[in-house]
Amino acid sequence: MAADPLFELANHGTAHLPLSVNGRAAYGIQGTATIAAAYDELMGNQGILQELTGHPARFFRPGTAYYDDVAVEMTRKLGILPVNFTETS
Ligand SMILES: [Zn+2]
């Protein structure tokens, strides 16, 4: 799939956790609790994708789609575009 130009593999986290710096949960799943843990959640899978595809993933969406503001800013500063969706009820 990585070799097919019709597909783009993007980063969806290392352990599929909410990306938080204070452990905020989403959908009953405990988020990362520190900046270091959020960094690891983001960059662990980034390294795996780099190895598999030969280039860094350009986009990231966290597990459960939850980010806090610090985690969004960290993602941007690491050169990855944070993406998400909105839910309507
Ligand atoms: Zn998911």
Side-chain angles (χ1 to χ4, degrees), residues 12-13 16-17 61-65 85:
H12 194 36
H16 199 261
L17 301 175
R61 181 169 69 83
T64 75
F85 59 85

Side-chain angles (χ1 to χ4, degrees), residues 4 9 13 27-29 38 41-42 50 60 63 69 75:
D4 188 328
L9 300 180
Y27 299 102
I29 300 171
E41 172 66 8
L42 179 61
Q50 168 83 47
F60 175 76
D69 292 347
T75 303

Side-chain angles (χ1 to χ4, degrees), residues 46-67:
Q46 191 72 2
I48 292 166
L49 286 165
Q50 168 83 47
E51 265 181 45
L52 289 173
T53 66
H55 59 83
R58 299 188 303 161
F59 305 101
F60 175 76
R61 181 169 69 83
T64 75
Y66 177 79
Y67 294 94

